[in-house]
Amino acid sequence: MPQPLTASRSARLKGRVRLPGDKSISHRALILGALATGRTPIMGLLEAEDVMATARAVTALGAEVVRTDAGFEVIGQGVGGLFQPASPLDFGNSGTGSRLILGVVAGHDMSVEFTGDESLCRRPMARVLAPLQTMGLQVEGGRTTLPLKVQGTHDLIPIVYELPVPSAQVKSAVLLAGLHAPGQTTVIEQAPSRDHTERMLRHFGAEIQVLDRNGGRAITVAGDAELHGRDVSVPGDPSSAAFAIAAALICEGSDITVEHVLMNPTRIGFLDTLREMGADIELLALRDDTGEPVGDLRVRTSALQGVTVPPERAPSMIDEYPILAALAAFAEGETRMQGLAELKVKESDRLAATAAGLQACGVEAAVDGDDLIVSGGGEVRGGGIVATRMDHRIAMAFLILGLGAEAPVTVDDTSMIATSFPEFVPLLTRLGARFA
Ligand code: S3P
């Protein structure tokens, strides 16, 4: 059943909040924990549907995931030690879980069925299957979307792979497969994408080398690897923080602090863009948490200016474009977001969904090739009904837009928000946001 929700103009958001754990790091902690020998205690794991689907998948593959007083603990089977699950692995809405675990299954002599919800079954898997097939994975019937059945092997071939699309998921799948191959597996990326897999592999004892190369990176992992269980602490998700930050920027008289946010340089393109737009955001207490930089962010209501966001910034803020577009509607002048081809293959076609949502709320927005152009005038009429298209970030972005618009904005279905940020409504309500 769809769960519609309406957001109404709000003011004076106040308070300190700590957001749930980073989704990307949460998936990886479960997966590397399953591939390690011994125990991996995880503090701050994101308890959202996407991550729980990964927890169920690694359990079905033979790892143990248990809840503890401090959070979760994974008891792994060692690299190559997982076994064939009894039934298909269902990843729900999660592209990350399904693609990364394809890389894991590739290195095991087992036959596994992968499936997911309607949105995930529409998303391209060829990008990850192609390099894994070169390494030795077999795919039944040549399918390139879920549901699909694959056969892995203990005899993977190490490869050097240049990513044709800027995708941390593809990079990670190949690196995870490379753990099982003899020799070295290298992934080359044109521009740095999120590097949590590399950081965490190192933390778990894998041999990994990262070289800067013409603005991009070459990442090499040594095969026949041994990973050892390690403590992991998951910082707050900057992609979830983006919604609270955006709300504070547009709701009159707001002053909030978002605590313990992941500040990894491959994830903070959104903050860089906001600063260019004139946002009042102060970074407090930058520190390290298990190999990842974290900080607290103080955000106050700000008058924003339109900007051009260059295409090379996209990988560092790929999930933040819907909420940036919502903010651009409140900025003075035009915001042009360039090079967004990848947005078309997210949980929905986010380029189209964002433009349509803005138009439904009376905002001038257009798609020009792979660019999104939003013309802001300081005020947003609102009053529209926005189609979520099974996409959590579309739902959240337009609820935030409704907090600053003149007339309330209704989102047709908010059930998907639970895939990444189940606390979204209560947490923003605590700060002073009005939803009904
Ligand atoms: C993710 C990578 C990104 C991002 C997704 C999470 C990850 O996808 O959109 O939400 O955890 O590796 P791509 O790698 O396909 O760009």
Side-chain angles (χ1 to χ4, degrees):
M1 279 294 282
Q3 296 166 13
L5 189 70
T6 299
S8 304
R9 189 169 241 186
S10 307
R12 291 175 299 284
L13 304 193
K14 300 271 177 197
R16 299 179 74 86
V17 278
R18 183 163 173 159
L19 296 194
D22 183 66
K23 183 151 74 76
S24 294
I25 295 180
S26 295
H27 284 294
R28 287 158 173 80
L30 290 168
I31 294 170
L32 291 196
L35 290 175
T37 51
R39 296 172 181 278
T40 292
I42 309 173
M43 251 177 55
L45 186 85
L46 171 65
E47 291 190 51
E49 282 173 11
D50 275 14
V51 175
M52 292 302 122
T54 290
R56 281 193 298 276
V58 298
T59 305
L61 288 162
E64 217 180 307
V65 180
V66 290
R67 218 177 252 279
T68 61
D69 289 346
F72 284 82
E73 186 167 89
V74 186
I75 300 148
Q77 294 287 352
V79 173
L82 297 173
F83 38 85
Q84 179 155 327
S87 44
L89 303 180
D90 186 343
F91 289 92
N93 195 243
S94 178
T96 307
S98 54
R99 291 186 176 127
L100 267 56
I101 290 185
L102 274 167
V104 170
V105 165
H108 291 79
D109 185 11
M110 57 165 93
S111 162
V112 184
E113 280 178 68
F114 283 70
T115 190
D117 70 11
E118 212 183 297
S119 150
L120 185 57
C121 287
R122 278 196 298 264
R123 297 183 66 186
M125 291 291 153
R127 51 181 52 204
V128 62
L129 293 174
L132 295 177
Q133 281 172 295
T134 311
M135 296 178 83
L137 181 77
Q138 287 176 18
V139 184
E140 196 173 272
R143 286 185 61 84
T144 54
T145 51
L146 266 49
L148 48 83
K149 191 171 180 182
V150 299
Q151 171 68 50
T153 171
H154 280 314
D155 296 314
L156 281 186
I157 303 160
I159 57 170
V160 176
Y161 189 65
E162 186 153 352
L163 293 176
V165 284
S167 167
Q169 294 179 355
V170 179
K171 168 177 69 176
S172 301
V174 175
L175 293 175
L176 289 171
L179 292 173
H180 302 83
Q184 300 193 320
T185 293
T186 299
V187 180
I188 298 165
E189 52 182 3
Q190 300 300 333
S193 65
R194 67 192 66 196
D195 62 355
H196 311 303
T197 303
E198 297 90 305
R199 287 174 186 250
M200 209 182 283
L201 277 172
R202 191 169 288 132
H203 182 59
F204 277 72
E207 244 179 82
I208 184 142
Q209 191 190 48
V210 181
L211 296 176
D212 290 331
R213 228 183 88 130
N214 311 326
R217 285 178 182 167
I219 306 116
T220 299
V221 69
D224 292 330
E226 274 184 40
L227 303 185
H228 304 285
R230 292 277 189 268
D231 281 49
V232 177
S233 158
V234 186
D237 194 326
S239 300
S240 298
F243 298 107
I245 292 168
L249 289 174
I250 57 174
C251 295
E252 261 326 298
S254 299
D255 183 353
I256 68 164
T257 300
V258 190
E259 296 175 343
H260 208 74
V261 183
L262 175 69
M263 293 296 296
N264 180 311
T266 62
R267 295 288 299 279
I268 56 171
F270 179 66
L271 291 177
D272 295 339
T273 304
L274 293 184
R275 290 212 178 86
E276 289 173 9
M277 294 174 84
D280 180 354
I281 301 178
E282 219 179 315
L283 169 61
L284 310 166
L286 189 64
R287 54 202 183 267
D288 178 90
D289 187 2
T290 358
E292 292 277 6
V294 300
D296 301 337
L297 296 170
R298 182 170 182 190
V299 187
R300 282 168 275 206
T301 311
S302 309
L304 302 175
Q305 298 294 323
V307 288
T308 295
V309 188
E312 61 273 12
R313 199 177 293 165
S316 67
M317 54 175 297
I318 193 66
D319 292 335
E320 280 67 81
Y321 283 102
I323 187 61
L324 179 66
L327 280 178
F330 294 91
E332 280 294 342
E334 183 181 286
T335 293
R336 180 178 274 266
M337 291 157 260
Q338 297 174 320
L340 305 188
E342 277 296 298
L343 282 200
K344 297 176 188 166
V345 291
K346 292 294 173 190
E347 286 82 332
S348 68
D349 175 347
R350 280 189 183 153
L351 202 48
T354 303
L358 289 169
Q359 287 155 2
C361 295
V363 180
E364 210 183 307
V367 175
D368 177 15
D370 293 336
D371 296 355
L372 176 62
I373 303 150
V374 179
S375 303
E379 278 291 338
V380 173
R381 191 193 71 207
I385 299 180
V386 174
T388 306
R389 307 187 189 193
M390 292 188 81
D391 191 326
H392 54 133
R393 297 200 200 280
I394 295 296
M396 291 186 277
F398 283 97
L399 286 171
I400 298 296
L401 181 136
L403 299 179
E406 287 166 20
V409 169
T410 298
V411 161
D412 71 346
D413 184 20
T414 54
S415 56
M416 302 312 288
I417 291 176
T419 62
S420 71
F421 192 177
E423 303 85 343
F424 172 82
V425 169
L427 195 141
L428 275 137
T429 304
R430 247 188 354 262
L431 289 173
R434 292 166 61 214
F435 300 114

